[in-house]
Amino acid sequence: MSGTWRVVMVVAWVAASGAVAEPPPAPKRTPWTTSRVVGSPDPPSPYVTELAFPRLKFDEPLDITSGPGSPRLFVTERFGRVFSFPVDRQVDKADLLIDLNPHYGRPPRTVS
């Protein structure tokens, strides 16, 4: 008898003999009503978020940093573009510093 037929015979015997039993039913859960926790675990944040540069839009930005000794900020996007812009809330356009999109094989998107 070949090895494959032995496996088939053993599986058939186990299935026919009922040796594979169903798992027992899960025990009934008892509701936890003795907790002394009151309120939420963390207090609300005292800070409110707001857009620092509301006129700028980026495609999946990952990081923002300042240049050493420079009054400009640099933003890196997920697929390899790096932008630079002055630290001014009213800035409406970021300058493209480097574009590595061709090396990643993804066509660049336009920034508005």
Side-chain angles (χ1 to χ4, degrees), residues 7-18:
V7 172
V8 170
M9 294 293 286
V10 168
V11 170
W13 176 78
V14 168
S17 67

Side-chain angles (χ1 to χ4, degrees), residues 56-67 72-86 93-101 108-112:
L56 296 179
K57 304 286 184 220
F58 296 100
D59 181 25
E60 299 183 39
L62 295 176
D63 190 28
I64 184 169
T65 188
S66 61
R72 298 181 70 82
L73 293 175
F74 300 89
V75 173
T76 57
E77 291 183 341
R78 179 176 173 211
F79 289 98
R81 292 194 304 179
V82 179
F83 291 92
S84 170
F85 58 93
K93 184 177 184 302
D95 302 320
L96 181 63
L97 183 65
I98 189 169
D99 186 1
L100 300 174
N101 267 323
R109 292 185 183 175
T110 56
V111 175
S112 55

